[in-house]
Amino acid sequence: YFKTFNTDIVITRCSNNYGPRQYPEKLIPQTIKKILSDKKIPVYGTGENIRDWIHVEDHCSGLILAMNFGVKGNVYNFGDVDKITNIEIVKLLLSITNKRDDLIEFVTDRLGHDFRYALDSNNIMSLGFEPEIDFEFGLKLTIDWYLNNNKWWV
C-alpha cells in the first residue's frame, strides 16, 4: 500500500511479547499456570531455544512512537531487547515463585522448531525507543496478574 498507493504508513514487527492476557498456551503464561498448579512444566528439547522478549506495555509505547514519529514507509522491529533461552525463563519463573526445578520436564522438540528468533531494532531505537520494563520485573508483574485474574485463564 505504501508503494502502490503512497499510503502514510509505518510497518512494525515484534518477536515475542509477554505480559497480562497473553494467549494461555504460550511459554510464559503456560509456565505460570503450571507453576501455580504444581504441575510439570514441559520444555522442548534442552530448552536452549533463544527468543527476544519485550513487555507488552513497552511494545505499545514503541508502537505509538513509530506511529507519531516514524518515517513513512519504514519498518520498525521490536526485538533484540531481552534475549534469553526458554530454560532460563522457566528457571527464572520458578525462582520468582519459590518453586522447585524438579517441576521441569524436558519433552521432544517439535519438528522444524526455530532455534532462535531475533530482530534488528536499530530503526525503532533511532527514534529514541528504550524499553522501560526490566525483564525480571515484567515477569513478576505478569505472575501477579495471573494470580489476580485466575478466572481469565482457568
Side-chain angles (χ1 to χ4, degrees), residues 21-92:
R21 296 179 189 86
Q22 186 179 15
Y23 186 68
E25 295 307 315
K26 295 296 185 181
L27 175 66
I28 291 174
Q30 181 186 82
T31 301
I32 293 170
K33 286 172 23 184
K34 299 283 186 183
I35 288 171
L36 296 178
S37 304
D38 278 322
K39 293 184 178 177
K40 290 288 188 182
I41 302 161
V43 175
Y44 287 122
T46 61
E48 295 300 318
N49 303 54
I50 300 168
R51 304 289 184 257
D52 287 339
W53 292 91
I54 185 170
H55 192 274
V56 65
E57 290 181 24
D58 282 333
H59 186 198
C60 289
S61 296
L63 291 173
I64 292 167
L65 182 67
M67 180 179 69
N68 289 326
F69 300 103
V71 175
K72 180 174 150 180
N74 271 11
V75 175
Y76 298 93
N77 294 328
F78 296 89
D80 200 29
V81 178
D82 285 300
K83 286 189 185 82
I84 187 168
T85 64
N86 290 348
I87 192 63
E88 288 173 309
I89 290 172
V90 171
K91 287 183 177 184
L92 187 54

